[in-house]
Amino acid sequence: MPQQNQPLIIGMVVGEASGDLLGAGLMRALRQYFPDAVFQGVGGPKMLAEGFDSLFPQDRLAVMGLVEPLARLPELLRIRRRLRQHFFQQRPAVFIGIDSPDFNLDLELSLRKAGIKTVHYVSPSVWAWRQGRIKKISRAVDLMLTLLPFEADFYRNNNVPVAYVGHPLADTIPLEPDPAAAAEALQLGEQINGNKIVALLPGSRAAEVARMGPLFWQVAEYCAARQKNLIFLVPSANAARHQQLEEQLRELSSSLPIHLIEGQSHKIMEAADVVIMASGTTTLEAMLFKRPMIVVYKLADLTYKILSRLVKVKYISLPNLLANKAVVPEFIQERATPVAVGDALLNYLNNPSTTKKLMATFHDLHVQLKQNSDEQAAEAITKLIRGGAEL
């Protein structure tokens, strides 16, 4: 704890927009316990709006893929070294690394060795693959904060201090969705009336859309030929993906009822009767909107062969992982065919009792994740700072 009249310093580092959102909410919640705290490290625009002192621009840490991090490695190492030196001198009451494990875990490890309490917020997928990383994590953190309950179980089983705080999306997405209001907000008017809405989300990255897009359009063609009251809505994640999707869709039959819409993925999912999507966080979003979904994913053959030997879980979608059983269909690699995915879509549309049962399951999972995550995380961190009650 700081000396009297000295502000309490809380160090934080985020590398992605999702981490910036978590960080801003956590800052607001921590101020309930420490009104005069100074927050510093690396933060994004939402954290800056809360008064965060960012020593480096957050976007300098936002690197993805295999090649870009290698090209940026000297800069990333320099930023991490300077952050380490800064916190050695400033001695925060706690350091919180939010996601970005490749950057944050090494920083946490060195700070913890220097006697600074460390927290990692958002578990790496260590429970799914490269489980040997748990040894490094146990040395690097005083506390792991997880968004999902099965993650916390994994850490407890490996004797790593952990607190399950719930998922912030479960706090922001209402328990009861309103598909009719979402459809009206999309302003498609007569094009929607009387039709079943199918949301197609082939991914947010260029490589994903290149690989998955053609399959999704073939599924749409297969289903439209068998059921006439279908309309397909495709949200684009950003301007680059919009252009890429536009180019793919130009090659299709002009009579196919596919509408490409800039952004609005949440409204499109909420309005949909069924969602077909690439695996990822969007599976959790569709679950929280209580939408029947089909999860599809394809990788390059060599990548799939390598990953299939490393991955230790039975499912790839978050609804199935949370339920610990196959509540939604997954079509991976060679199983991802237009006929298989299309038949699963038509099965949902023609079996409303299946959909009703699934929505009840999703409601229960939503309640499980709805934990007021900002407040839960702040309470756990406060206990660690104060060295008080057992977590």
Side-chain angles (χ1 to χ4, degrees):
M1 297 292 289
Q3 298 295 320
Q4 193 171 8
N5 299 325
Q6 288 185 336
L8 180 137
I9 296 172
I10 297 177
M12 300 172 75
V13 169
V14 306
E16 301 287 345
S18 57
D20 180 38
L21 185 63
L22 284 176
L26 182 57
M27 287 174 64
R28 288 191 294 272
L30 281 169
R31 283 212 174 96
Q32 300 300 311
Y33 297 94
F34 308 108
D36 300 321
V38 172
F39 296 88
Q40 55 186 216
V42 179
K46 289 182 170 57
M47 293 169 67
L48 294 178
E50 296 293 331
F52 189 82
D53 177 17
S54 194
L55 307 177
F56 299 93
Q58 178 257 318
D59 60 9
R60 301 314 302 161
L61 270 59
V63 292
M64 300 178 68
L66 296 174
V67 177
E68 189 182 5
L70 291 175
R72 296 270 311 285
L73 186 59
E75 180 189 7
L76 293 170
L77 291 175
R78 184 169 62 253
I79 291 173
R80 189 161 62 194
R81 184 169 60 251
R82 290 177 62 183
L83 285 168
R84 183 166 56 239
Q85 292 168 349
H86 173 83
F87 288 126
F88 282 169
Q89 293 171 356
Q90 294 296 320
R91 304 292 297 183
V94 67
F95 173 81
I96 306 161
I98 300 183
D99 210 352
S100 302
D102 292 332
F103 185 92
N104 276 325
L105 284 173
D106 279 322
L107 182 56
E108 290 158 12
L109 182 61
S110 59
L111 295 179
R112 191 177 186 221
K113 284 180 179 177
I116 296 169
K117 293 175 180 177
T118 60
V119 174
H120 193 85
Y121 190 6
V122 184
S123 170
S125 299
V126 64
W127 40 269
W129 70 302
R130 291 172 58 199
Q131 294 190 354
R133 291 177 292 170
I134 192 68
K135 295 176 182 177
K136 180 178 181 179
I137 292 170
S138 69
R139 298 195 309 272
V141 305
D142 289 289
L143 176 64
M144 175 65 72
L145 300 179
T146 73
L147 307 185
L148 306 171
F150 64 82
E151 295 175 324
D153 293 339
F154 177 84
Y155 286 102
R156 290 190 193 100
N157 292 337
N158 284 277
N159 300 310
V160 175
V162 64
Y164 163 58
V165 301
H167 203 291
L169 278 174
D171 296 327
T172 58
I173 295 176
L175 276 172
E176 300 298 332
D178 191 343
E184 185 176 346
L186 292 171
Q187 298 181 336
L188 292 177
E190 294 299 321
Q191 298 175 78
I192 288 180
N193 290 346
N195 289 311
K196 295 289 185 180
I197 300 173
V198 179
L200 302 175
L201 288 81
S204 59
R205 300 174 186 172
E208 281 180 329
V209 172
R211 194 166 48 244
M212 307 286 289
L215 169 64
F216 278 44
W217 320 143
Q218 289 169 20
V219 170
E221 288 174 332
Y222 176 84
C223 293
R226 287 159 179 78
Q227 190 157 327
K228 300 304 180 186
N229 64 333
L230 302 182
I231 181 172
F232 300 91
L233 304 183
V234 184
S236 56
N238 51 50
R241 293 296 75 72
H242 192 88
Q243 182 178 351
Q244 184 182 12
L245 289 162
E246 222 170 23
E247 290 170 358
Q248 288 188 0
L249 292 172
R250 276 197 209 104
E251 301 177 7
L252 302 179
S253 165
S254 58
S255 62
L256 196 63
I258 293 184
H259 300 269
L260 178 60
I261 299 172
E262 293 184 21
Q264 301 199 73
S265 62
H266 279 192
K267 289 295 182 190
I268 288 171
M269 279 191 278
E270 187 175 8
D273 293 281
V274 182
V275 182
I276 304 177
M277 63 181 62
S279 178
T281 305
T282 48
T283 63
L284 178 66
E285 294 169 346
M287 183 199 85
L288 294 172
F289 283 117
K290 320 300 181 301
R291 297 298 90 192
M293 74 182 80
I294 300 160
V295 180
V296 185
Y297 211 71
K298 298 184 81 169
L299 294 163
D301 287 340
L302 180 59
T303 303
Y304 177 74
K305 286 177 182 177
I306 294 171
L307 287 179
S308 62
R309 288 181 170 88
L310 295 174
V311 172
K312 305 297 183 182
V313 290
K314 291 191 292 184
Y315 308 111
I316 64 169
S317 65
L318 284 168
N320 289 346
L321 288 166
L322 286 163
N324 197 27
K325 61 181 181 180
V327 295
V328 301
E330 297 179 354
F331 296 95
I332 306 169
Q333 215 60 13
E334 68 275 359
R335 293 187 62 237
T337 67
V339 173
V341 178
D343 284 344
L345 166 60
L346 295 173
N347 182 61
Y348 270 135
L349 294 175
N350 296 315
N351 289 281
S353 60
T354 301
T355 298
K356 187 175 181 180
K357 183 179 178 182
L358 184 62
M359 290 174 70
T361 298
F362 286 172
H363 183 278
D364 292 343
L365 292 173
H366 191 158
V367 170
Q368 186 181 18
L369 295 178
K370 188 178 174 65
Q371 301 288 324
N372 293 317
S373 58
D374 292 339
E375 289 75 13
Q376 292 282 353
E379 182 180 352
I381 292 167
T382 299
K383 286 180 180 179
L384 179 66
I385 291 173
R386 292 175 174 168
E390 183 178 335
L391 293 166

